């Protein structure tokens, strides 16, 4: 943060207390802080009980191997079952899980029942290729439903996914494939960017030349462009997945079973693979999504604008929202294609109530002008979120005033790839929010400035 930005934040004295009606119906209250401070283990056990466990844990936290923590020791669960199957079994199969909007304007609504079938087919497809628990699958896809299905299919069979941002170079993909010794790579023929089809499969082919660990490449057809296919290695997603059975019995894995690897450059040039495990990670992303966004299953329409190539996409598009039975928007494209009001148009059409985006994008919207969002009905919005970097008070206020109609709480969230989930954030029904400030650690979390 620059000296000027820090000075602005320190002199900022505006605060916005929660609306009384919002606070009265909020998922979390001020007492949560006291409860978590009084008995941290009991607090986290209560959050874990929001999930389905095949085997209950014997110990909440084992800190004997510090700094490596073991959460919910002895517990077993299946992450994909928690995100999909249990909602169908509870009678919510007809609820829309994903309102998918493609950049060219095509769209799909996918219910929880349909998502379950797709995940089961993809899981069976991976098993048919010899992928088993503990294997690694690299995924380089844009924001298409198959990306989410592929991640959940890996989680279902206990394989680790390593998602690589779709805009990364062949060299970046190759370094991640080699480091994880990925057995399978999932990609697409191409992706839409600002109204044009850009290649993906060609970049993947370049990346994988001589890659010893890769046995198969699965290709999603998206743009329809002709791409070279190696008959010994490459297979179309639709040929492989669509013929599979929609029946698959998920296996329960240990709470500490690895769920995914996500590479971050951090403070070094060489990407570091961050490994998140199953039980503790899912507990934390489900809990934080529930309390930070005040999400109400079956009532809210949620939209996180991140890419699944980043940890925000993992935690707040895939695992947190789906564990909480969210109905969410997933948008493939850029915010100014075909026009600069694209996001507001989507919010108005789908009656989005929770919107989570980045300060960089908010500042871009500011440059484009407040007259653009003013053309759209944004009255459905009730919570606004910010993620990815510090937000300056000016952008925070613009966001609240021009997107939130001066009434919607703004939750500015701080966390990292390493933490996996939000650590510091206001609670929208509790905290008097302050422009530019993420405020204090969430209940159950301790943070110290060292």
């Amino acid at each position: 943060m620059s000296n000027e930005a820090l000075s602005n934040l320190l002199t900022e004295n505006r605060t916005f207390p929660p609306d009384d009606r919002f606070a009265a119906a909020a998922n979390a209250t001020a007492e949560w802080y006291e409860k978590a401070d009084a008995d941290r283990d009991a607090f986290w056990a209560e959050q874990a009980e929001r999930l389905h466990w095949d085997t209950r844990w014997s110990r909440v936290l084992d800190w004997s191997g510090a700094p490596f923590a073991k959460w919910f020791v002895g517990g077993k669960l299946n992450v994909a079952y928690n995100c999909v199957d249990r909602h169908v079994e509870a009678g919510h199969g007809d609820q829309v899980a994903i309102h998918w909007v493609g950049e060219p304007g095509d769209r799909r609504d996918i219910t929880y029942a349909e998502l379950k079938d797709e995940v089961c087919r993809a899981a069976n497809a991976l098993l048919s290729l010899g992928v088993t628990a503990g294997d690694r699958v690299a995924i380089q896809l844009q924001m298409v439903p198959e990306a989410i299905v592929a991640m959940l299919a890996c989680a279902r069979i206990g394989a680790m996914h390593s998602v690589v941002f779709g805009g990364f170079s062949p060299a970046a993909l190759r370094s991640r494939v080699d480091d994880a010794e990925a057995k399978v790579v999932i990609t697409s023929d191409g992706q839409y960017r600002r109204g044009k089809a850009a290649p993906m499969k060609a970049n993947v082919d370049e990346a994988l030349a001589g890659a010893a660990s890769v046995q198969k490449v699965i290709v999603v057809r998206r743009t329809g462009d002709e791409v070279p296919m190696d008959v010994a290695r490459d297979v179309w997603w639709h040929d492989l997945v669509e013929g599979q059975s929609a029946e698959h019995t998920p296996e329960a894995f240990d709470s500490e079973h690895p769920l995914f690897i996500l590479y971050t450059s951090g403070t070094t040039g060489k990407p570091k693979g961050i490994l998140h495990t199953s039980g503790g990670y899912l507990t934390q992303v489900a809990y934080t999504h529930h309390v930070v966004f005040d999400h109400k299953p079956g009532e809210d329409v949620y939209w996180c604008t991140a890419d699944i190539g980043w940890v925000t996409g993992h935690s707040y598009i895939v695992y947190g929202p789906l564990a909480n039975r969210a109905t969410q928007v997933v948008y493939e494209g850029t915010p100014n294609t075909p026009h600069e009001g694209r996001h507001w148009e989507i919010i108005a059409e789908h009656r989005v109530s929770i919107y989570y985006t980045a300060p960089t994008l908010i500042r871009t919207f500011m440059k484009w002008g407040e007259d653009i969002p003013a053309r759209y009905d944004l009255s459905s919005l009730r919570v606004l979120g910010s993620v990815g970097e510090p937000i300056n008070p000016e952008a925070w206020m613009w966001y609240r005033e021009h997107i939130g109609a001066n009434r919607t709480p703004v939750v500015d969230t701080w966390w990292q790839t390493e933490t996996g989930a939000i650590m510091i954030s206001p609670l929208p029904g509790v905290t008097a929010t302050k422009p530019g400030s993420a405020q204090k650690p969430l209940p159950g979390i301790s943070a110290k400035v060292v």
Side-chain angles (χ1 to χ4, degrees):
M1 186 181 286
S2 69
N3 289 338
E4 182 185 3
L6 185 59
S7 173
N8 289 346
L9 187 56
L10 291 172
T11 57
E12 177 60 61
N13 56 16
R14 290 170 290 186
T15 58
F16 298 89
D19 172 82
D20 289 344
R21 282 193 304 172
F22 190 111
N27 290 348
T29 63
E31 289 71 37
W32 284 48
Y33 291 102
E34 298 160 24
K35 190 163 67 168
D37 287 346
D39 191 336
R40 183 180 62 177
D41 282 12
F43 178 84
W44 283 110
E46 190 179 328
Q47 306 318 314
E49 282 161 0
R50 299 181 65 247
L51 304 176
H52 169 86
W53 294 81
D54 293 76
T55 303
R56 188 181 161 82
W57 57 89
S58 58
R59 186 175 177 185
V60 172
L61 172 63
D62 177 357
W63 194 232
S64 61
F68 301 102
K70 290 182 179 177
W71 284 93
F72 310 111
V73 179
K76 291 188 175 183
L77 79 171
N78 186 283
V79 170
Y81 177 89
N82 270 282
C83 291
V84 187
D85 305 51
R86 69 179 175 134
H87 306 318
V88 178
E89 291 172 10
H92 302 292
D94 290 339
Q95 180 184 322
V96 173
I98 299 168
H99 291 296
W100 178 74
V101 182
E103 190 183 89
D106 49 339
R107 55 195 61 213
R108 289 169 62 189
D109 285 348
I110 303 168
T111 66
Y112 272 95
E114 290 166 340
L115 183 60
K116 175 182 175 289
D117 288 352
E118 284 300 302
V119 171
C120 287
R121 288 190 185 99
N124 286 326
L126 290 172
L127 290 169
S128 76
L129 298 181
V131 178
T132 57
D135 284 339
R136 278 77 62 203
V137 175
I139 301 170
Q140 189 174 42
L141 282 170
Q142 66 273 40
M143 295 297 292
V144 290
E146 290 83 358
I148 295 169
V149 169
M151 292 168 72
L152 290 169
C154 290
R156 192 175 189 90
I157 65 172
M160 284 174 268
H161 56 70
S162 169
V163 179
V164 182
F165 175 58
F168 276 179
S169 68
L173 173 61
R174 177 59 178 271
S175 70
R176 289 156 173 79
V177 165
D178 285 350
D179 187 71
E181 297 181 352
K183 198 172 189 177
V184 170
V185 176
I186 304 175
T187 189
S188 67
D189 54 357
Q191 61 181 323
Y192 289 105
R193 272 283 171 259
R194 293 185 168 80
K196 294 178 180 174
M200 277 190 78
K201 174 62 163 57
N203 294 343
V204 170
D205 286 342
E206 180 185 335
L208 299 185
S213 65
V214 177
Q215 298 174 12
K216 288 289 178 184
V217 175
I218 306 172
V219 186
V220 174
R221 180 172 280 151
R222 174 63 184 127
T223 61
D225 290 351
E226 200 168 311
V227 292
M229 296 287 282
D230 178 339
V231 293
R233 186 196 67 178
D234 302 346
V235 58
W236 286 105
W237 172 282
H238 57 271
D239 287 339
L240 175 67
V241 175
E242 288 175 11
Q244 300 289 338
S245 167
E247 297 297 321
H248 176 268
T249 303
E251 180 185 344
F253 294 100
D254 189 86
S255 180
E256 285 294 311
H257 184 81
L259 178 62
F260 66 82
I261 304 167
L262 187 59
Y263 288 85
T264 175
S265 56
T267 54
T268 63
K270 180 177 167 59
K272 301 190 299 286
I274 305 300
L275 179 71
H276 283 292
T277 57
S278 302
Y281 170 80
L282 192 64
T283 296
Q284 193 187 2
V285 293
Y287 156 66
T288 50
H289 178 263
H290 177 67
V291 298
V292 171
F293 302 109
D294 195 56
H295 172 261
K296 316 283 197 225
E299 298 175 25
D300 280 309
V301 178
Y302 165 83
W303 184 13
C304 170
T305 69
D307 190 284
I308 58 151
W310 314 122
V311 73
T312 304
H314 285 57
S315 300
Y316 297 107
I317 294 175
V318 184
Y319 294 112
L322 294 176
N324 288 335
R325 187 166 56 86
T327 293
Q328 64 178 320
V329 168
V330 175
Y331 175 51
E332 177 186 34
T334 46
N336 57 348
T337 305
H339 55 79
E340 291 170 346
R342 183 66 152 150
H343 276 216
W344 320 127
E345 179 181 70
I346 291 170
I347 288 171
E349 180 183 348
H350 289 286
R351 305 299 293 159
V352 171
S353 53
I354 303 166
Y355 179 71
Y356 191 31
T357 196
T360 299
L361 191 52
I362 295 165
R363 288 189 285 268
T364 300
F365 292 144
M366 289 173 71
K367 286 178 194 165
W368 291 347
E370 64 201 52
D371 59 308
I372 296 174
R375 296 172 202 155
Y376 298 91
D377 178 6
L378 306 181
S379 61
S380 59
L381 288 168
R382 67 179 197 89
V383 178
L384 297 174
S386 169
V387 63
E389 61 188 295
I391 182 169
N392 53 310
E394 295 79 10
W396 194 101
M397 284 302 304
W398 188 93
Y399 196 28
R400 178 184 164 90
E401 289 173 7
H402 297 289
I403 309 306
N406 244 332
R407 59 171 174 77
T408 306
V410 177
V411 288
D412 175 23
T413 64
W414 179 91
W415 55 297
Q416 297 174 307
T417 306
E418 289 83 348
T419 72
I422 296 165
M423 305 291 276
I424 300 173
S425 171
L427 290 176
V430 176
T431 314
T433 54
K434 176 181 173 181
S437 173
Q439 308 215 255
K440 65 192 238 180
L442 292 171
I445 291 166
S446 169
K448 293 185 171 80
V449 178
V450 180

